[in-house]
Amino acid sequence: MTGAIARVLPPGSVVRDVLPNGLRVLARRKPGCGTVAIVTYVGAGYFDETDEVSGIAHVLEHMYFKGTPTRGVGEIAKETKASGGLLNTATIYDHTHYYAVLPAGGFEAGLAIQADAYAHSVIDAAELARELEVIIEEAKRKADNPSAVATETLFALLHDAHRIRRWRIGREAVLRGFTRDQVLAFYRNFYRPRNTVLAIVGDVDPGRAIAEVARHYGHLTDEPVVRTPGPAEPPPAGRGLRYQELDGDVQQSEVLVGWRTPPLAHSDSPALDVVATLLAAGRASRLYCAVRDRRLAAAISAWNYTPSELGVFAVHATARSERAASALRAAWDQVVRVCDGDVREPELERARRVTLAQWLRRLDTAEGQANHLAAWELSGGWESGGAYLDRMLATDAGAATAVARQWLARDRAAVLVYRPSTQRPFADDAAAVESLLAGDRPEPVEPVTTPAPTAVIRGGARAWRIERRNGDVTVFRTGAGVPVIVARVPGAIAHLGWYVHGGATAEHDADAGITSLMVRVALRGTERRSAKQLAEDVEFAGGIVGGGAGADGFQWTIAVPVDRLDAAAELLADIVQRPAFRDDAVESERAVALADLAAIRDDMYRWPVRLATEAAWGAHPYGRSVAGAETSVGA
């Protein structure tokens, strides 16, 4: 385990126990956090469903908290909230997880509720019928999400037989036919102690936590889990590039390239994760520079998704239709360059630092630590998470190139385009796409360079004073009257933010959205740093820098590993005090802002909320979208 992760999760601080019935329990004290997270991972997801009950794992997730013999419908959530807690659930291909986060004093009550739901859900038939209508509406909303439609269609295009091809939430015809007996059978088969991991992290004693778990779960019987494996996926070699095109009532095009990759346990997966980080994590990444910075797409990402049975590596761009082909070519070119060995040590070091910081952020809360422990324990042992990170951080240029050549070859790829029906077709067939990709190569991006050490800019001898203290929070006041609020919390990540009065209430119709645009452009370079230099400096510090605007204020923030706090403070000060507002940065961010406005119309949550807000506030500035309008932002 790396030194950085071991400092957050020392191996001796995690107590692991296995009850006689097979339930794996992990408990860790996180002193000073004041909360406790109770996380349950069950090894049952979409991969465990036969075609006849596709979507049933998600249905059971909805029914899990719907009542037990001693707690009626709504009582589980009500009692959890009465203890000051919250709860939620999620289902994915190889597991379902449930979690509750409560004040530490509510641990025993919260655990009793979680145990009751786990062991005694009644799956009431009348409540199931009502909940199925909710789930069907959720499935319809998902069908209105262009990104979700494009991603799951890519999965189907890539695979010939495996269950990952299916629409994972389930289709209406199957969902509407579910009976209580079917849901109950799935529940009783998979929700067994031997198929479950319970992780508890927070301000509680691990010995006490495990004793409470034994009291509430120890009586459950150890029964075998019967699995019905789906069809295996045949080898992909030599099949050639695949292509599919969809059209619909959308404003922009979703362009995806995907490859079949190995599952989490495969030795190549850590290096493939590094390739995805190198390509698309952060503003200094290859795809950000080659695609988004060149205004070819409003958004670009790359990821290597690795559930238990197989993996998918994908590059995903959201672009205006007239630029979709250029976005695809630019993204494809960067993948080819990595396959050709164009990988340099400075960009790998940037990727390593970004990776480590991402892991530290996930472990910064009790909930994050509990999810980490439970997920990795379900995958074969919680310590394997640290070992996986070690392998990522040890990936060199040769390993990155080797896995890219092995898994991201052209004849293993699939291209999926989801375009507006008002636009002409993207390509006639796979041969036309291959011809497009074989055209003239785009200009390469500037290579990442290791930043030179930058002296921290410190203030002069201006007066400041402590204004007040409240527990671990101290309010300072500078000589210029600016309040500086400092909160000490245990953890590996430091967060800094600069907050200013302003926002939509200070705008007029003619310049609506200008605050949001200003905040974004400020992150694209300062008087001292170009956009590239700023992005690299932030990411070599392991930082994430962001900005946002609301109705009454705007802000810039940065989060870094705590040992790089000085560097983060200097970077934030540079952004706040010396933004350059260069013309090319303004035009680049304007293009993205306009694309975002178009994307809002495709979003079946944000668009109705925007309309409702406008109707509720009328002419008041609160009714004006912080993002502005196409006419004002365009001007």
Side-chain angles (χ1 to χ4, degrees):
M1 186 178 291
T2 66
I5 295 299
R7 285 197 297 273
V8 179
L9 285 178
S13 72
V14 179
V15 179
R16 182 182 185 274
D17 194 16
V18 181
L19 300 189
N21 59 20
L23 178 70
R24 287 163 283 176
V25 187
L26 301 165
R28 180 177 188 274
R29 182 165 206 157
K30 190 175 188 296
C33 68
T35 62
V36 61
I38 305 167
V39 174
T40 304
Y41 270 62
V42 180
Y46 301 121
F47 287 167
D48 297 294
E49 304 165 341
T50 62
D51 289 346
E52 293 75 21
V53 292
S54 178
I56 200 168
H58 177 247
V59 171
L60 180 54
E61 174 211 312
H62 275 248
M63 296 301 297
Y64 185 83
F65 291 133
K66 287 291 184 179
T68 70
T70 57
R71 291 178 171 91
V73 175
E75 290 299 312
I76 290 175
K78 183 178 179 180
E79 288 186 32
T80 302
K81 292 177 182 178
S83 298
L86 58 89
L87 51 81
N88 212 333
T89 64
T91 306
I92 197 58
Y93 290 105
D94 52 11
H95 70 268
T96 304
H97 75 271
Y98 305 86
Y99 64 89
V101 181
L102 307 102
F107 166 64
E108 291 184 4
L111 183 66
I113 294 168
Q114 291 291 304
D116 191 26
Y118 175 81
H120 305 122
S121 288
V122 295
I123 321 293
D124 178 77
E127 188 62 27
L128 174 63
R130 286 189 289 270
E131 198 62 27
L132 284 173
E133 295 303 319
V134 174
I135 296 168
I136 289 167
E137 289 304 313
E138 181 182 347
K140 290 178 180 178
R141 288 196 305 274
K142 184 179 174 184
D144 283 332
N145 183 320
S147 177
V149 170
T151 300
E152 293 205 33
T153 305
L154 175 71
F155 284 15
L157 177 62
L158 274 169
H159 301 91
D160 296 313
H162 195 277
R163 287 173 176 170
I164 200 171
R165 300 187 78 254
R166 300 179 307 196
W167 184 250
R168 65 190 182 203
I169 202 172
R171 298 291 185 181
E172 180 175 355
V174 176
L175 291 171
R176 198 171 291 283
F178 280 143
T179 66
R180 177 182 184 271
D181 287 346
Q182 288 176 311
V183 179
L184 195 62
F186 190 88
Y187 170 56
R188 288 176 173 170
N189 179 50
F190 288 103
Y191 283 58
R192 296 295 187 185
R194 68 164 64 189
N195 197 37
T196 304
V197 175
L198 185 63
I200 298 166
V201 176
D203 223 344
V204 294
D205 177 70
R208 172 189 159 215
I210 290 176
E212 285 295 306
V213 171
R215 185 163 73 90
H216 287 290
Y217 293 82
H219 67 284
L220 301 177
T221 58
D222 178 17
E223 300 286 348
V225 173
V226 178
R227 298 188 187 274
T228 306
E233 185 66 22
R239 65 184 187 176
L241 184 143
R242 299 184 178 193
Y243 176 64
Q244 184 175 349
E245 185 170 330
L246 308 174
D247 67 272
D249 183 16
V250 295
Q251 302 293 311
Q252 300 187 92
S253 291
E254 306 292 331
V255 182
L256 291 86
V257 189
W259 295 264
R260 284 159 53 179
T261 53
L264 179 69
H266 194 281
S267 59
D268 285 349
S269 290
L272 282 165
D273 283 349
V274 172
V275 171
T277 302
L278 183 150
L279 284 171
R283 294 169 180 259
S285 65
R286 288 177 171 233
L287 291 178
Y288 195 97
C289 296
V291 180
R292 189 185 181 283
D293 268 356
R294 292 175 178 173
R295 307 176 203 168
L296 302 179
I300 184 74
S301 62
W303 36 267
N304 184 46
Y305 176 54
T306 50
S308 57
E309 296 182 13
L310 37 66
V312 174
F313 192 107
V315 175
H316 184 170
T318 302
R320 290 164 53 183
S321 294
E322 64 270 21
R323 296 183 179 178
S326 297
L328 173 61
R329 287 179 54 196
W332 179 268
D333 179 63
Q334 291 304 317
V335 175
V336 170
R337 290 178 188 276
V338 174
C339 293
D340 288 345
D342 180 17
V343 179
R344 300 177 176 87
E345 178 55 32
E347 67 176 337
L348 271 175
E349 180 60 21
R350 183 199 72 89
R352 293 185 195 107
R353 295 193 185 192
V354 168
T355 295
L356 179 57
Q358 288 173 337
W359 281 61
L360 290 176
R361 286 187 193 94
R362 286 196 290 266
L363 297 175
D364 207 36
T365 64
E367 178 188 343
Q369 291 184 12
N371 275 288
H372 173 91
L373 293 173
W376 284 101
E377 180 67 25
L378 193 66
S379 298
W382 75 266
E383 300 92 341
S384 60
Y388 191 94
L389 177 60
D390 284 345
R391 293 197 295 273
M392 289 183 68
L393 299 180
T395 299
D396 59 17
T401 297
V403 298
R405 285 176 178 166
Q406 168 69 24
W407 298 100
L408 309 184
R410 176 175 296 187
D411 65 352
R412 297 170 61 102
V415 175
L416 186 285
V417 175
Y418 184 18
R419 61 169 175 82
S421 54
T422 55
Q423 302 295 317
R424 65 187 185 86
F426 182 87
D428 292 333
D429 50 29
V433 175
E434 288 192 315
S435 178
L436 169 70
L437 298 177
D440 293 338
R441 300 186 74 172
E443 287 294 315
V445 298
E446 289 184 56
V448 170
T449 56
T450 304
T454 303
V456 174
I457 308 301
R458 300 192 184 277
R462 296 177 181 174
W464 56 270
R465 60 186 172 84
I466 295 177
E467 187 171 276
R468 65 184 184 277
R469 285 194 176 97
N470 185 354
D472 291 329
V473 179
T474 304
V475 180
F476 299 85
R477 183 77 60 171
T478 71
V482 178
V484 181
I485 304 169
V486 180
R488 291 178 63 91
V489 294
I493 298 296
H495 303 263
L496 296 87
W498 177 273
Y499 300 85
V500 189
H501 284 298
T505 53
E507 299 173 351
H508 303 285
D509 289 344
D511 61 7
I514 197 169
T515 308
S516 179
L517 185 59
M518 177 272 295
V519 168
R520 297 165 71 144
V521 176
L523 299 176
R524 297 298 305 274
T526 70
E527 294 169 4
R528 292 176 173 166
R529 292 175 169 96
S530 67
K532 177 177 180 293
Q533 290 168 334
L534 180 60
E536 290 178 1
D537 286 357
V538 168
E539 289 159 27
F540 269 94
I544 292 179
V545 66
D552 296 304
F554 58 92
Q555 73 275 341
W556 292 278
T557 60
I558 188 169
V560 295
V562 71
D563 59 355
R564 298 195 177 107
L565 176 58
D566 278 3
E570 188 274 326
L571 285 161
L572 186 63
D574 199 25
I575 291 166
V576 168
Q577 298 178 74
R578 289 172 287 273
F581 298 119
R582 298 182 179 95
D583 288 346
D584 60 337
V586 174
E587 292 310 314
S588 181
E589 289 303 317
R590 186 205 312 277
V592 173
L594 291 169
D596 286 347
L597 287 168
I600 290 174
R601 296 177 182 273
D602 287 338
D603 191 313
M604 290 298 101
Y605 174 77
R606 290 191 297 163
W607 182 239
V609 167
R610 174 165 176 170
L611 294 177
T613 303
E614 291 173 353
W617 289 101
H620 191 280
Y622 282 179
R624 185 186 301 122
S625 170
V626 173
E630 284 85 348
T631 51
S632 59
V633 174

